[in-house]
Amino acid sequence: MCRVVDLKQAVLAKNDSAAQALRTGLAARGTTVVNLLSSPGSGKTALLERELGLARERGAAVAALTADLATENDAARLARSRVPVKQVLTDGLCHLEAGMLARHLDGWLPEDTRLLFVENVGNLVCPASYDLGESLRVVLASVTEGEDKPLKYPTAFGLAQLVVVTKTDIARAVDFDEAAFRANVQQVNPGVEILLTSARTGEGAGALLDRALAAGAGAPVHVPVMAGQQPAHHHHHHDHDRHDGSAGHADPGAPVAAPAPTR
């Protein structure tokens, strides 16, 4: 058992090192990374498409990288925003890793990119354990997923620096209890901001973009309470630690360290 734990810690430590190198390199060129996590079908592609279009209208230099186990459907949709977009196929891997992201950015990401949105694999378990060198971690949940989602996936929601609710246009139809959802989010991540959005009606349009641009400009970023629950050997200066001891499907209830804002 100890050897298995050691191996998992070694894998995460290697990812940490790659993430810090990526973060340092991107910061030097003025690029802020936003890591988007959610369950499959949460509507993050639709929301991201709208935000990318708004960024282009505002003249903000943005790009997007989207990861899936198979198909390039999401990249085709995001490309309609007419910003640089790249698809990453993980060949069955349930999450992105920092080294993988760095390889795909090399030679592709335009030098003037101010914001890079990374649409992670649709999964609220193992992606929560991997630092991608991001400056802002965003977790999304649609109104159709149930108010108890934050309690079922406390690691993902507990490490979020921003929570986004999607598909609010059908909230009444599915009896979404906003107050209960907010209470559950605050239980695992006190003080985190929650945005309400609808890609269909435009509710909350531009709010995610505003928060991302502000983070890139050095505005304070929420630091979750879970930041203090990780063993010292996994803490790094200006790093986003989020390790629950698993290199694969992480235990969604394990305490992990939170991402710290990058400046």
Side-chain angles (χ1 to χ4, degrees), residues 6 12-13 17 27 47 55 73 81 88 92 96 98 101 119 148-149 153 167 178 194 197 200 206 208 218 223 239 262:
D6 289 344
L12 289 172
S17 179
L47 175 65
N73 296 345
S81 64
V88 173
L96 281 174
L101 178 60
E119 184 180 7
D148 62 346
K149 199 79 170 190
Y153 298 93
K167 305 183 183 182
E178 181 185 334
I194 301 172
T197 67
R200 178 173 294 176
L208 173 59
V223 179
D239 204 354
T262 303

Side-chain angles (χ1 to χ4, degrees), residues 43-52 140 164 166 197 199 204 208:
K44 65 179 177 295
T45 304
L47 175 65
L48 183 53
E49 183 180 357
R50 178 180 281 271
E51 298 297 294
L52 293 176
L140 299 86
V164 177
T166 61
T197 67
L208 173 59

Side-chain angles (χ1 to χ4, degrees), residues 93-170:
L93 191 64
C94 63
H95 60 276
L96 281 174
E97 296 181 3
M100 182 190 309
L101 178 60
R103 289 193 296 274
H104 282 282
L105 296 182
D106 187 27
W108 168 74
L109 188 67
E111 285 294 330
D112 65 344
T113 302
R114 185 175 177 187
L115 284 179
L116 171 64
F117 287 95
V118 177
E119 184 180 7
N120 218 316
V121 179
N123 183 346
L124 283 177
V125 185
C126 42
S129 297
Y130 285 83
D131 181 358
L132 297 183
E134 70 261 27
S135 297
L136 184 65
R137 169 173 281 213
V138 183
V139 175
L140 299 86
S142 72
V143 298
T144 61
E145 296 179 61
E147 297 81 3
D148 62 346
K149 199 79 170 190
L151 303 182
K152 289 183 175 181
Y153 298 93
T155 296
F157 282 90
L159 293 176
Q161 293 169 301
L162 181 66
V163 173
V164 177
V165 178
T166 61
K167 305 183 183 182
T168 57
D169 55 291
I170 60 172

